Amino acid sequence: MIRTLLAALLLTSSAAAQDYDLVIRNAKILDGAGNPWVRGDVAVKGDRIAKLGVVAGKGAREIDARGRFVSPGFIDMMDQSGGVLRKNGAAENKLRMGVTTVIAGEGGIPVDADQANDYFAQLETQGIAVNFGSYYSAAQARVKVMGDAAGTPNAVQMEQMKREVETAMRAGTFGISTALIYPPNSFQTTEDLIELAKIVSRCDGFYSTHMRDESSKLVEAVNEAIAIGEKGGVKVEIFHLKAAYAPQFGKLMPKAVAAIDAARKRGVDVAADLYPYTAGGTGLSIVIPNWVFEKGAKEGVELLQDPAVRARVKREVAAGSQPGWSNLVEASGGWSRIVLANPFNEKYERFRGKNIAEIAKALGKDPIDAAIDITVEALPNRAMALFFMMDERDIATALRQSWTSIGSDAAASLGAGQTDVLGLPHPRSYGTFPRVLAEYVKKRGVLTLEDAVRKMTSWPASRMGLEGRGVLREGLYADLVMFDLDKIDDRASWTNPTASPVGIDLVVVNGAVTIEDGNATTARGGKVLRHACKS
């Protein structure tokens, strides 16, 4: 009896001594709102920040952050993990970058609109290590109603598409997304999208877009996005803002910025995200004009076997961009600046990392023939390429805008050190967020540390309406990242794109420690974030 009583007293004493689940001491605290850092402690209890400043109580776990910064967890505004999180919720490559929240859905959700609730519930039940929210793709509604061919929806079809969008919004998606550079997305007109945006406006949602052109017609594409938002009554998010046009490096981005600034001054809620790299990555099929796929993907592949079609494609690629198609060969400055990243075919594996001009010479083919053959022979997979079509001057201009945030345009990987689930070995999958700090704060001085952190925390949280996130305040969610600014380095490169960053020592998601001493834990503290539709 005495022994039992003593044990109970010791347990009670121990519990009383541990006032918090976690205390991070001696940190340089960056609140995420852009304020200068202050030295102090951060205490966590459950999934919330319990105390900031001088923390007298004890934590079940205590970490000394001396010399390191603690900020809100980073928010990835342009994620591609909607499908992979059902297979593996770890998202380790995201966490290692300090990312605690991802907003996905350029291509929508991996289920129909009427299954969105079940999809979100599945993620919650299985467990995910990051907070996750998503858009619904306007093209999903279109393909369900009309298929993947070109054409204008009739009144009945448009009403069906609107119902799909409304169903997705009521399930908690943040709005509609488009990727207007790719078929069948490219077959959607401005007017069609305004009509769908009006449905989104009932829920105060977003029109978020990979624009119709990010190259020579960049400004026109920005204006189209703004018009859809203005006439549809929705907020506009421009995905991965870039001036991807080699002939006008340094000239187009200031014009795009001016167009966005002008729209904001007249009351349009428009902003953008970007990733800090000079190359984009996408399917090699983008070098093929969109008209080839007007009757659908299957027939387009068959058309490409026709020598007459190939001849026309060659002429149009040489001529530059055409109405309804952005020519990324021209935008990149030629075939030598397009690198094969993943052929999805053993036959072409020896050419991985080589540019298309080199590959074509080795095969004794015209570059467009080589690109088409690699594309077709990768099916049903998507042969991937890197397009070196951006300039550091334009990246710096975009980063300096108060309304830009950071989005990786990358998915979580199925396992540590693996290429992300898109099959695209681009360093943005592993390096985006630490690169902002290492390259554009420390090395280039484009951003102050405080503003860089604001762009990755409070600004995107405020923009997306993520209540309780993005800043360090008592009572808010404990999404935290601890990093050593002196040591932080993205490390992922074009030749080693899956290298993990260094200098990020601790990541906490809703109070759960997910990265500790730079190593991943098995914690699954993430939550599904649903956009509230109150109408």
Side-chain angles (χ1 to χ4, degrees):
M1 175 67 77
I2 294 174
R3 185 175 298 171
T4 302
L5 181 60
L6 180 60
L9 288 171
L10 288 172
L11 183 62
T12 302
S13 174
S14 175
Q18 296 173 358
D19 304 285
Y20 306 104
D21 297 315
L22 171 68
V23 177
I24 304 170
R25 298 198 181 275
N26 306 308
K28 296 177 180 178
I29 299 174
L30 286 161
D31 67 359
N35 293 311
W37 64 266
V38 295
R39 193 176 302 282
D41 307 329
V42 183
V44 175
K45 193 170 183 64
D47 63 357
R48 303 281 176 157
I49 299 170
K51 181 73 174 174
L52 289 170
V54 177
V55 175
K58 300 293 184 182
R61 173 180 287 172
E62 298 229 353
I63 295 173
D64 186 0
R66 195 174 303 277
R68 290 170 289 183
F69 291 91
V70 172
S71 79
F74 303 148
I75 298 172
D76 190 340
M77 284 285 277
M78 208 277 175
D79 170 76
Q80 300 276 13
S81 302
V84 68
L85 290 180
R86 293 199 294 179
K87 301 174 183 177
N88 184 351
E92 188 172 331
N93 57 315
K94 298 283 181 172
L95 292 167
R96 286 181 176 276
M97 290 193 285
V99 170
T100 58
T101 298
V102 302
I103 306 297
E106 179 191 25
I109 50 178
V111 296
D112 287 341
D114 61 2
Q115 298 173 329
N117 271 317
D118 291 340
Y119 163 63
F120 291 142
Q122 179 189 358
L123 293 180
E124 290 174 322
T125 300
Q126 290 181 189
I128 51 177
V130 291
N131 302 311
F132 174 83
S134 185
Y135 300 103
Y136 173 74
S137 169
Q140 281 183 270
R142 178 187 171 95
V143 170
K144 184 171 183 179
V145 173
M146 298 178 60
D148 66 350
T152 301
N154 59 37
V156 172
Q157 290 171 325
M158 179 54 74
E159 287 304 312
Q160 290 175 316
M161 291 161 61
K162 288 179 178 179
R163 284 196 294 271
E164 294 295 316
V165 170
E166 183 174 13
T167 298
M169 292 302 299
R170 301 230 172 253
T173 59
F174 281 79
I176 54 170
S177 61
T178 59
L180 297 177
I181 198 169
Y182 307 109
N185 288 259
S186 57
F187 304 141
Q188 298 170 108
T189 67
T190 306
E191 292 71 25
D192 292 344
L193 294 170
I194 290 170
E195 288 302 304
L196 296 181
K198 289 177 181 177
I199 303 302
V200 174
S201 71
R202 299 173 186 171
C203 297
D204 192 29
F206 286 81
Y207 170 72
S208 298
T209 181
H210 177 157
M211 295 183 295
R212 206 175 294 276
D213 196 310
E214 298 173 320
S215 302
S216 61
K217 299 292 190 294
L218 171 64
V219 177
E220 291 89 334
V222 167
N223 286 331
E224 180 191 32
I226 291 168
I228 291 167
E230 199 163 16
K231 295 178 182 179
V234 294
K235 294 169 279 194
V236 178
E237 178 73 9
I238 294 172
F239 286 146
H240 45 58
L241 178 65
K242 60 176 75 76
Y245 191 58
Q248 292 195 47
F249 282 163
K251 298 177 181 178
L252 277 177
M253 183 61 80
K255 294 178 182 178
V257 166
I260 294 170
D261 280 337
R264 290 183 61 83
K265 285 178 182 178
R266 67 173 184 267
V268 183
D269 190 348
V270 54
D273 54 73
L274 70 150
Y275 52 78
Y277 295 93
T278 55
T282 191
L284 186 56
S285 61
I286 196 64
V287 304
I288 303 167
N290 288 342
W291 62 262
V292 172
F293 303 102
E294 284 181 349
K295 294 184 179 180
K298 183 179 179 181
E299 184 149 341
V301 170
E302 293 174 358
L303 278 176
L304 291 170
Q305 310 310 313
D306 184 338
V309 170
R310 290 262 186 140
R312 178 182 168 185
V313 168
K314 288 177 190 178
R315 291 194 302 270
E316 292 185 1
V317 170
S321 294
Q322 307 293 323
W325 174 62
S326 181
N327 186 335
L328 295 197
V329 180
E330 176 190 35
S332 299
W335 292 104
S336 64
R337 291 175 58 80
I338 302 172
V339 173
L340 181 63
N342 190 346
F344 281 104
N345 188 316
E346 188 63 33
K347 176 180 176 181
Y348 298 108
E349 188 60 35
R350 63 193 171 107
F351 296 123
R352 186 189 285 253
K354 303 290 186 182
N355 69 60
I356 301 299
E358 294 175 302
I359 296 169
K361 184 176 180 181
L363 294 173
K365 297 180 178 181
D366 186 280
I368 187 61
D369 283 319
I372 291 173
D373 290 344
I374 293 169
T375 295
V376 172
E377 292 177 49
L379 295 172
N381 294 303
R382 204 173 160 220
M384 290 291 185
L386 300 172
F387 294 77
F388 286 83
M389 55 188 179
M390 283 86 84
D391 184 80
E392 287 288 358
R393 289 169 293 175
D394 296 321
I395 293 172
T397 296
L399 279 173
R400 289 190 181 104
Q401 306 312 308
S402 61
W403 37 259
T404 54
S405 56
I406 307 301
S408 70
D409 193 12
S413 60
L414 277 171
Q418 295 181 15
T419 300
D420 80 4
V421 75
L422 302 178
L424 175 60
H426 191 301
R428 66 194 183 194
S429 302
Y430 281 77
T432 294
F433 290 81
R435 180 171 173 79
V436 171
L437 299 176
E439 186 73 15
Y440 294 94
V441 172
K442 288 201 303 180
K443 183 177 178 181
R444 297 177 183 268
V446 172
L447 299 171
T448 65
L449 173 62
E450 292 81 2
D451 196 37
V453 170
R454 182 191 70 84
K455 284 178 175 292
M456 299 189 290
T457 58
S458 68
W459 166 234
S462 174
R463 175 133 181 84
M464 300 305 298
L466 306 181
E467 294 183 8
R469 302 188 191 278
V471 291
L472 299 188
R473 297 280 189 276
E474 291 177 7
L476 302 190
Y477 289 104
D479 292 342
L480 310 170
V481 58
M482 183 174 77
F483 61 91
D484 186 328
L485 187 62
D486 292 333
K487 295 179 180 178
I488 202 163
D489 186 11
D490 46 296
R491 292 182 67 211
S493 65
W494 303 115
T495 55
N496 189 14
T498 59
S500 291
V502 294
I504 294 176
D505 302 313
L506 179 77
V507 179
V508 179
V509 182
N510 297 309
V513 175
T514 58
I515 297 289
E516 185 171 16
D517 295 328
N519 297 312
T521 72
T522 58
R524 297 290 184 270
K527 300 177 186 290
V528 171
L529 306 176
R530 290 178 173 86
H531 179 72
C533 187
K534 298 174 182 177
S535 65

